[in-house]
Amino acid sequence: MEKGLPVFYDELIEVLRADIDESGEAHNNSIESVHRASAERRGKESLKLGYSISQVVHGYGALCQAITQYIQENSSETASPREFNRLNFCLDIAIAEAVTEFNRGQRENAERDEVQRLGFLAHELRNALTSATLASQLIITGKVGTNGSTSRILENAHRRMRDIIDRSLVEVRLWNEPTVQYQRCRVIHLVSEVEATAWFEASAKSIEVRVEVAPELEVLIDRHLIISALSNLVQNAIKFTKQGGIVWIRSKAVGGRVLLEIEDQCGGLPPGEAEELFKPFSQMGTDKSGLGIGLTISRRAVSLNKGILSVRDVPHQGCVFSIDLPLASSPLPTT
């Protein structure tokens, strides 16, 4: 971007110095060819640097304002109407090409992310299906019993596929103008439901799930979305907690809000990387199973419920994920 403005100035100077015919049509075509390549390059650079389209357009507007202000403040410098016409024409081309390239780059990035996401989803489903198929064949052929470890592999594979599909359906709902259906729910009921489904995974790693939830607390939420978010957080806590560790699920009232905390024993986070966890496809631990989008979905689900999902590091011990939700006694949130 440091080279972008000087390049535009050089192109503008080249245009102003050229011999312009009366019709201007032929020269307009040459102007377009001069500006197109560099404007496309600036569009790509802007996208890579994280600028928005409005910032790209504003940058060119600032150029025009700077040139005009310079002429106004220097009485010795004059500009003819034709020169101003050339300036505006160059700006129009530059803005149009930069924005076009910017939009094209955004579409390509979105399509690439979607392909990657679908690839992860298909890969994860295939792995679970392969495990289920092999286990099922062993049981059907009588090579193993129906109550042994192979049956547990089959059960785990089915549960895994169900979780993947449920999570995908929630994701589709979250990003397709979801209608949030608020209802009063006891926090203890939400936690009990999540704890029941997480028990098998926790016991397989000899992890204890401890619950400290006040039975009287109620929240105003979309039950399905919050169950999905809470399940993701508890499953992550179990996934990254060391063998024989403890996962805590706690709640407390703070003003007109309810704070739900899920604490694990993952060993802590590297400095400054807490927010990186919420980026799509981010997988920071050694266990790379899953799609890496669970926390992204969870934050979106909590946000739709007028809540906040955050994380804090407990150095050398673990992480505490916090869901901040409105108490049922608070006014009903507006969608």
Side-chain angles (χ1 to χ4, degrees), residues 191-206:
V191 172
S192 297
E193 183 174 336
V194 171
E195 182 192 14
T197 57
W199 177 85
F200 187 85
E201 293 178 43
S203 60
K205 292 181 63 178
S206 300

Side-chain angles (χ1 to χ4, degrees), residues 196-316:
T197 57
W199 177 85
F200 187 85
E201 293 178 43
S203 60
K205 292 181 63 178
S206 300
I207 290 174
E208 180 184 357
V209 178
R210 294 183 182 177
V211 176
E212 299 175 1
V213 176
E216 72 279 3
L217 289 180
E218 291 186 336
V219 286
L220 279 174
I221 57 164
D222 183 304
R223 181 183 179 87
H224 184 66
L225 292 180
I226 294 302
I227 284 287
S228 174
L230 188 58
S231 295
N232 272 329
L233 296 177
V234 173
Q235 286 172 4
N236 272 357
I238 294 171
K239 176 179 176 180
F240 293 109
T241 292
K242 299 172 184 178
Q243 186 101 7
I246 302 173
V247 170
W248 286 269
I249 306 176
R250 296 185 289 258
S251 74
K252 60 183 177 181
V254 181
R257 312 285 293 182
V258 169
L259 195 65
L260 258 170
E261 293 185 336
I262 298 88
E263 182 175 350
D264 60 37
Q265 291 185 335
C266 65
L269 292 173
E273 293 191 0
E275 281 301 309
E276 294 293 318
L277 293 171
F278 295 101
K279 291 184 178 180
F281 308 116
S282 175
Q283 293 180 306
M284 304 180 107
T286 55
D287 188 341
K288 301 297 183 182
S289 61
L291 301 178
I293 58 175
L295 290 178
T296 307
I297 294 173
S298 297
R299 174 168 274 187
R300 170 75 169 155
V302 172
S303 177
L304 286 171
N305 281 271
K306 309 301 179 185
I308 301 170
L309 173 58
S310 59
V311 61
R312 72 175 187 273
D313 180 43
V314 182
H316 311 299

Side-chain angles (χ1 to χ4, degrees), residues 54-102:
S54 63
Q55 289 172 320
V56 174
V57 175
H58 178 75
Y60 282 108
L63 264 179
C64 183
Q65 182 180 357
I67 293 172
T68 304
Q69 185 175 347
Y70 175 82
I71 294 173
Q72 291 174 345
E73 292 177 352
N74 292 269
S75 57
S76 60
E77 303 289 343
T78 58
S80 68
R82 172 167 282 179
E83 287 173 327
F84 272 113
N85 178 268
R86 295 297 96 186
L87 168 61
N88 289 328
F89 189 66
C90 290
L91 284 169
D92 286 345
I93 295 171
I95 291 172
E97 293 299 330
V99 170
T100 298
E101 182 62 29
F102 187 96

Side-chain angles (χ1 to χ4, degrees), residues 152-197:
R152 287 196 295 272
I153 292 174
L154 179 60
E155 183 181 357
N156 287 341
H158 286 158
R159 181 183 293 106
R160 183 64 182 149
M161 285 188 283
R162 181 203 64 197
D163 291 342
I164 294 169
I165 293 170
D166 287 346
R167 192 173 61 208
S168 299
L169 291 174
V170 171
E171 183 186 2
V172 169
R173 182 185 172 195
L174 289 177
W175 269 273
N176 283 276
E177 299 182 0
T179 300
V180 181
Q181 301 175 345
Y182 291 105
Q183 59 180 294
R184 298 173 70 98
C185 295
R186 285 189 179 273
V187 175
I188 188 65
H189 293 164
L190 299 173
V191 172
S192 297
E193 183 174 336
V194 171
E195 182 192 14
T197 57

